[in-house]
Amino acid sequence: MAAIIDVQHVHKAFGGLKVINDCSIQVEQGSITGLIGPNGAGKSTLFNIIAGALPLDSGRVLLDGEEITNRPANELFHKGLLRTFQIAHEFSQMTALENLMMVPPAQAGETLFNAWFKPSLVGKEEAEVRRRALEVIDFIGLHHVRNELAGNLSGGQKKLLELGRTMMTDARVVLLDEIAAGVNRTLLGDLVTNIERLNREMGYTFLVIEHDMDMIARLCEPVIVLAQGSVMVEGSIEEIQNNPQVIEAYFGAAS
Ligand SMILES: Nc1ncnc2c1ncn2[C@@H]1O[C@H](COP(=O)(O)OP(=O)(O)OP(=O)(O)O)[C@@H](O)[C@H]1O
Ligand SMILES: [Mg+2]
């Protein structure tokens, strides 16, 4: 198996609280891998560690065979490893289109030298970024609200915008943290379709944290269950749903 993400024996504690405990997961290149588990299992923490937003205590993380342990998020971003956030963090005072145009990390206009001395280059690249942003906004079905302030978009539209932001760069692996939360069924269908298309047509690998089991069932293979900071079980959605340990972890308190 070609693992694009390889997490090896990671540990992480906050103060005395062990949150990630000897956790090892592999995400196969080209897969849409699901990451599920009870609240507080450590899913978002693991994402933060993989994406360089949080240092680990021990263990290793590899991206496509290259060690990226504790590398900063912006460096990983340039390597094509991106994460979205559990709470969408759009720039509310910019339009949806402008939000997309903000993403490319190496815009010529960002360096003072280019801005002052090469105005034609800046203009040309801006036009290119704008063209790409318009393509992306069509793809995610937000063309009709492209000039709306992002802060005025609905929760579901913000999630779509967040997904669109990952398309403005040459992403290889995208970590999605609960993008279905609070999204209505119709928009959720759009989101799922777009994730499938990005996977099939653009070769994106996804690691998806989700509580919505319908969405996991439709999208993800395999599914990894995290409980108390370690992998409890990994398999197809059917294997997961029929696993007594998983049923206990999810429904134990209720039954
Ligand atoms: N910065 C932090 N400082 C202290 N404790 C933290 C911090 N971040 C997370 N935790 C704790 O780590 C544990 C795991 O949190 P995490 O957010 O990773 O869970 P999760 O699996 O994403 O849960 P959910 O499904 O509710 O989003 C929780 O007990 C949480 O309180
Ligand atoms: Mg979380």
Side-chain angles (χ1 to χ4, degrees):
M1 178 186 97
I4 190 158
I5 300 276
D6 189 0
V7 172
Q8 299 177 351
H9 303 292
V10 167
H11 291 259
K12 175 74 187 176
F14 293 111
L17 182 67
K18 283 187 164 200
V19 171
I20 302 294
N21 197 3
D22 195 24
C23 183
S24 298
I25 68 168
Q26 280 82 41
V27 178
E28 192 174 344
Q29 167 110 43
S31 71
I32 305 178
T33 299
L35 184 63
I36 67 172
N39 295 120
K43 303 178 298 293
S44 296
T45 303
L46 190 61
F47 261 33
N48 284 327
I49 289 170
I50 295 170
L54 200 60
L56 49 68
D57 296 338
S58 64
R60 302 204 307 160
V61 183
L62 309 183
L63 173 66
D64 216 4
E66 178 192 353
E67 177 147 9
I68 56 159
T69 311
N70 291 342
R71 304 309 304 161
N74 64 336
E75 187 183 322
L76 300 178
F77 183 90
H78 285 279
K79 292 181 189 291
L81 173 61
L82 276 66
R83 63 157 298 175
T84 65
F85 291 84
Q86 197 162 356
I87 301 183
H89 69 309
E90 87 293 349
F91 297 98
S92 57
Q93 293 307 310
M94 287 190 285
T95 68
L97 193 67
E98 286 165 350
N99 262 271
L100 295 180
M101 292 178 63
M102 284 299 291
V103 175
Q107 280 184 61
E110 273 177 12
T111 73
L112 203 54
F113 178 85
N114 280 329
W116 283 83
F117 297 107
K118 294 184 178 171
S120 65
L121 172 68
V122 173
K124 188 161 161 258
E125 294 206 357
E126 253 180 36
E128 171 60 23
V129 169
R130 191 181 170 78
R131 192 187 58 72
R132 173 87 186 231
L134 281 166
E135 273 175 22
V136 168
I137 217 146
D138 275 350
F139 187 98
I140 57 177
L142 293 183
H143 189 82
H144 60 298
V145 290
R146 68 191 178 285
N147 294 323
E148 194 59 59
L149 292 182
N152 294 342
L153 299 184
S154 76
Q157 290 171 331
K158 286 177 187 170
K159 302 277 177 67
L160 284 167
L161 189 61
E162 185 84 358
L163 186 65
R165 284 161 59 88
T166 71
M167 297 174 61
M168 290 301 296
T169 67
D170 294 318
R172 293 193 289 158
V173 189
V174 180
L175 312 179
L176 301 176
D177 195 348
E178 290 195 41
I179 57 165
V183 177
N184 81 41
R185 286 282 136 187
T186 314
L187 267 183
L188 188 57
D190 292 349
L191 261 175
V192 167
T193 304
N194 286 333
I195 291 166
E196 284 172 331
R197 284 184 62 194
L198 285 170
N199 176 250
R200 270 201 313 269
E201 297 171 22
M202 293 172 73
Y204 280 33
T205 300
F206 285 98
L207 182 59
V208 179
I209 294 180
E210 203 51 70
H211 286 294
D212 182 325
M213 283 301 154
D214 290 343
M215 181 165 166
I216 289 281
R218 180 162 163 202
L219 268 182
C220 300
E221 170 84 52
V223 179
I224 298 168
V225 184
L226 204 69
Q228 295 170 355
S230 324
V231 175
M232 175 184 269
V233 54
E234 174 179 342
S236 68
I237 185 72
E238 292 78 19
E239 287 166 344
I240 298 296
Q241 281 173 331
N242 293 320
N243 183 297
Q245 255 185 303
V246 176
I247 294 168
E248 173 67 25
Y250 269 97
F251 309 112
S255 60

